[in-house]
Structures are given as structure tokens and as C-alpha cells.
Amino acid sequence: QVQLVESGGGSVQAGGSLRLSCAASGYTYRYYYMAWFRQAPGKEREGVAAIYPGFGSTYYAASVKGRFTISRDNARNTLYLQMNSLKAEDTAVYYCAADTLGQVDGGNWYKSPTYDLWGQGTQVTVSS
């Protein structure tokens, strides 16, 4: 069964750090785009960061660039999101997503409909 399982969410004070993990099972993710999205209450799901494992290309939303780092461990089939200098506005449910159909490219990585596989989400709460 193909699935993504996130972990690492929690509560932290503003200025703190968290690292999210997304374990992929049932397929080899190294050939596909993978991304992190987030959704705050009452807001649309937004792309946070994406990575194309084939070339190591990374993409970031302007709101997190310089603070968040997306990476992957091919041996563990795991995706990470290191989040530093967290702000209250980073509070959201964070989702891991994978494109196993080859629909994502550098121009649409932030659009959630282009990803076909999603994790269940993990809550991140930043208090100011």
C-alpha cells in the first residue's frame, strides 16, 4: 500500500524550531516531486516547499524562504522540513505530498491539485 506518514509536529514558541518528517512506503519516491503544504483554519492549502529528488532542485514560498529547508534521505525514503525562526503565522496543519503521475514541474509545484498522494497531516502550533 502506497502511503505517506508525517511526524514531528507540535507546539513551539515563536523563534523556535521544528523538523517535520514524511516517511514514504510502498513506492520509491526518489524519482518524483515531493512537497510540503500547509493549511491554517479558514485558509486555503498553500505550498510551502518542494523538492525534485532527481536533481536536488528545491522551491520555497516567499513567506518561508530563508527560514525553512526541505531535504530528503533517499536511503530512508523520507522527506524532511526543517523549520527555523518560526512565527505565529506558521501555525497550520502541515501535509506531505507526492507527485507519482509526473504532473509537477518547477512552474506549478505550489498547486495542490498537481499532487496525487497525500499524508494525513501534522499540526504545528507557534505561540507568540
Side-chain angles (χ1 to χ4, degrees), residues 26-121:
Y27 81 103
T28 301
Y29 85 99
R30 68 185 65 184
Y31 305 113
Y32 306 106
Y33 274 90
M34 293 194 73
W36 289 97
F37 283 76
R38 66 185 181 186
Q39 188 165 20
K43 294 189 176 181
E44 292 186 356
R45 190 169 296 190
E46 64 171 343
V48 174
I51 187 167
Y52 181 56
F55 301 111
S57 302
T58 57
Y59 307 87
Y60 295 94
S63 59
V64 306
K65 198 168 187 179
R67 300 188 298 122
F68 292 9
T69 303
I70 189 171
S71 63
R72 86 286 189 192
D73 184 331
N74 288 340
R76 298 177 182 268
N77 222 18
T78 300
L79 181 74
Y80 301 101
L81 185 68
Q82 177 67 43
M83 304 185 295
N84 298 328
S85 302
L86 283 162
K87 305 175 181 180
E89 51 263 43
D90 295 319
T91 295
V93 177
Y94 284 70
Y95 298 90
C96 172
D99 165 39
T100 69
L101 302 177
Q103 300 179 122
V104 177
D105 59 33
N108 66 5
W109 69 267
Y110 56 94
K111 297 181 179 180
S112 58
T114 52
Y115 296 83
D116 59 286
L117 185 62
W118 291 85
Q120 82 287 354

